[in-house]
Amino acid sequence: MTKTSKDRLKGTLIIPLGLTAVLVPFSLLIGWNLFTLLLFWFVLIPGLSMYLPTLVSSNQNHLIETVLGLVIFYSIMVFMIYDHYQTDYFKAMIISFLINLIVVSIWFKSKNLKVQTA
């Protein structure tokens, strides 16, 4: 396994681990209401998913790592709460997955445009 593929693997796996490490205390200590739901799923998740790979991976472009990490994290979440698929919490989580993929993609595209024009 090359150094690049090890870095990508570490960058991908840090996202579900880091987001789970934030989700558990957030859920237990703060609890869920409309504000905390929106804060966690629409602000913290995309922010942390873009930041965490930079801690362990030396690659410059983390788009693939971030998208794969988000897919793994949301897959685990869907698996854990599949019994509650008709709740508003589940719907908000699925909507946040789609929005976060779009936000992350736009963020990295705009970041790459700035680098190319500079």
Side-chain angles (χ1 to χ4, degrees):
M1 212 174 193
T2 65
K3 182 176 177 0
T4 305
S5 51
K6 284 182 185 178
D7 278 350
R8 287 199 183 228
L9 182 63
K10 287 190 295 186
T12 301
L13 294 179
I14 191 72
I15 293 171
L17 294 174
L19 293 178
T20 303
V22 172
L23 171 68
V24 171
F26 192 90
S27 181
L28 294 175
L29 297 175
I30 298 173
W32 297 107
N33 58 38
L34 182 61
F35 175 72
T36 58
L37 180 110
L38 295 174
L39 175 71
F40 183 78
W41 292 105
F42 293 98
V43 177
L44 288 177
I45 294 291
L48 287 173
S49 65
M50 289 184 279
Y51 173 69
L52 288 172
T54 62
L55 297 176
V56 295
S57 176
S58 61
N59 295 336
Q60 293 298 324
N61 189 1
H62 300 287
L63 177 62
I64 295 170
E65 299 165 5
T66 302
V67 169
L68 288 175
L70 281 173
V71 168
I72 292 169
F73 175 72
Y74 279 100
S75 299
I76 293 168
M77 292 305 299
V78 167
F79 178 73
M80 289 176 56
I81 62 171
Y82 70 92
D83 287 340
H84 305 286
Y85 70 93
Q86 292 179 340
T87 63
D88 291 338
Y89 178 76
F90 187 83
K91 291 174 187 172
M93 185 184 66
I94 297 301
I95 290 169
S96 76
F97 172 62
L98 298 173
I99 290 173
N100 288 340
L101 285 179
I102 293 168
V103 166
V104 165
S105 299
I106 290 171
W107 175 267
F108 280 106
K109 291 290 183 185
S110 68
K111 189 176 169 183
N112 285 342
L113 284 175
K114 285 182 186 176
V115 170
Q116 290 176 357
T117 59

